[in-house]
Amino acid sequence: MSRRWLFLLWWLSLAAHAQNPFIEAARANAEALPVAPAAADAIVRAFFEGCVAHEGDSIRTVDWAINQGFEPIDAHEGVGATLLSGQPGTVMKMPDSATPVLLAIDLDKRCTVWAELSDGPAVRAEFAKAMSALAAKGARVRPLQERTVERGGAWRMQVQVRYRRAGGSQEFSIGAVTTLSAQPTAQVLNAAPLASRLDVPATDPMGELAR
């Protein structure tokens, strides 16, 4: 067979391959595969090691995040601006996560970890485990609120506790808003200082973030 015929057969084969509807469907399905949600233990670790352990100290929190590979993002637009509620602060993105996980810290010691896609029950379980570990080490942990709220078309569990580290004097409100369903969606963890023992935390401090 001449080279001309070989070339023609090769070209026709490529053309048929490119227009094969089964191949195109396979490509479309591959592109549509769901993205794996962020790991619950990594989200909770970022919150407790980044926010809670440093008690809202912005310099120490940002130093920790940088050492963990977090990268700063624009804090003046999008989710970053929402997390800071328009206040001065820093927003950083967790490394090696298939979907965005952001840590935001402002100058008033309010610290938030927001995960765009994660398993609510798994995050809630890891959160409870971490709080129990702090209590076992002598921290003062007192439940303040636990209720079910509807946010953005999904039912979520809102949990708030009053926290003071062992040997510490500053009290914090620590909370979590997590979905009741395991369907991956936004999950929020938040810590903010309480000025006095008489302070009553906001009834829904993270409602907008969970939408």
Side-chain angles (χ1 to χ4, degrees):
M1 186 178 292
S2 67
R3 291 185 178 180
R4 181 180 178 183
W5 281 106
L6 287 174
F7 177 81
L8 181 60
L9 289 174
W10 173 76
W11 185 86
L12 290 173
S13 176
L14 285 181
H17 181 79
Q19 297 173 6
N20 189 318
F22 297 103
I23 293 175
E24 294 303 318
R27 288 173 180 168
N29 288 336
E31 292 174 357
L33 286 175
V35 177
D41 57 345
I43 295 168
V44 173
R45 173 178 172 272
F47 177 67
F48 279 90
E49 293 188 10
C51 295
V52 178
H54 299 117
E55 298 190 331
D57 184 300
S58 59
I59 294 177
R60 293 168 59 204
T61 299
V62 170
D63 282 347
W64 175 88
I66 291 174
N67 288 333
Q68 299 299 313
F70 282 63
E71 295 184 354
I73 67 168
D74 191 344
H76 299 98
E77 61 181 34
V79 177
T82 303
L83 292 172
L84 292 173
S85 300
Q87 300 301 312
T90 303
V91 181
M92 308 191 77
K93 183 178 180 180
M94 179 190 290
D96 304 324
S97 178
T99 56
V101 177
L102 305 181
L103 183 152
I105 177 76
D106 69 16
L107 300 182
D108 291 325
K109 297 186 175 183
R110 289 188 292 264
C111 191
T112 301
V113 169
W114 176 87
E116 181 178 285
L117 287 177
S118 191
D119 180 320
V123 171
R124 189 162 56 252
E126 292 292 333
F127 177 85
K129 188 189 303 182
M131 290 303 311
S132 296
L134 289 177
K137 294 178 181 178
R140 183 174 182 270
V141 177
R142 182 161 64 88
L144 288 174
Q145 181 175 248
E146 182 174 317
R147 65 172 185 163
T148 301
V149 295
E150 194 271 335
R151 288 286 179 268
W155 285 98
R156 303 171 188 268
M157 176 68 71
Q158 180 185 354
V159 176
Q160 280 185 298
V161 301
R162 185 185 292 265
Y163 163 81
R164 185 175 69 213
R165 67 174 172 82
S169 58
Q170 175 68 64
E171 292 198 327
F172 287 80
S173 169
I174 295 180
V177 176
T178 55
T179 50
L180 299 182
S181 166
Q183 180 68 31
T185 187
Q187 316 295 335
V188 184
L189 306 176
N190 175 271
L194 297 173
S196 72
R197 294 184 180 180
L198 298 178
D199 276 357
V200 178
T203 56
D204 192 1
M206 296 165 284
E208 292 300 320
L209 301 176
R211 291 183 186 277

